[in-house]
Amino acid sequence: MAFQIALTLSQYSNFIKFVFAFCAAMSTPLAFCWYGTAIMDNSLEVYKAAYECQWYHRSNKIKQFLAMIMVRSQKAVCLTGSKFYIISLETFGTMMNTIYAYFTLLKNMYEN
């Protein structure tokens, strides 16, 4: 679609159509990656919350549970795409860089 946008710069109606289609196509992956990053950030906050809950005033059993929670929450929970990649804003940035690389390749091939 980005290549079509570049080709239809002079045709205003087609240009607007492709711009809106491109934005609509990119909004879904952006939403997934945004919430994937939010989940990772919030899962790391569990460790901080467990540590700051005045655990030293609790019973030994509660201390053991909190220690287990803190050990398990040191690694972030993350959404994955079929265990091939982690869904995050970093992945979205990588995807946009790949799209731009394909766009420049197509544009260079079209101009030559």
Side-chain angles (χ1 to χ4, degrees), residues 49-63:
Y51 183 74
E52 293 174 355
C53 75
Q54 297 183 356
W55 53 270
Y56 41 86
H57 294 302
R58 308 287 185 230
S59 68
N60 284 336
K61 190 153 183 103
I62 298 294
K63 287 178 186 177

Side-chain angles (χ1 to χ4, degrees), residues 14 17 19 24 34 40 54 57-58 63 87 97 101 112:
N14 285 338
K17 187 185 338 177
V19 166
W34 184 276
M40 286 172 45
Q54 297 183 356
H57 294 302
R58 308 287 185 230
K63 287 178 186 177
I87 298 174
N97 284 336
N112 292 333

Side-chain angles (χ1 to χ4, degrees), residues 50-92:
Y51 183 74
E52 293 174 355
C53 75
Q54 297 183 356
W55 53 270
Y56 41 86
H57 294 302
R58 308 287 185 230
S59 68
N60 284 336
K61 190 153 183 103
I62 298 294
K63 287 178 186 177
Q64 288 174 345
F65 286 140
L66 286 173
M68 197 178 339
I69 288 171
M70 290 189 322
V71 167
R72 293 193 65 178
S73 64
Q74 286 178 348
K75 184 178 177 191
V77 173
C78 56
L79 296 176
T80 60
S82 299
K83 296 188 179 184
F84 290 117
Y85 54 89
I86 295 173
I87 298 174
S88 66
L89 287 176
E90 183 180 341
T91 305
F92 184 75

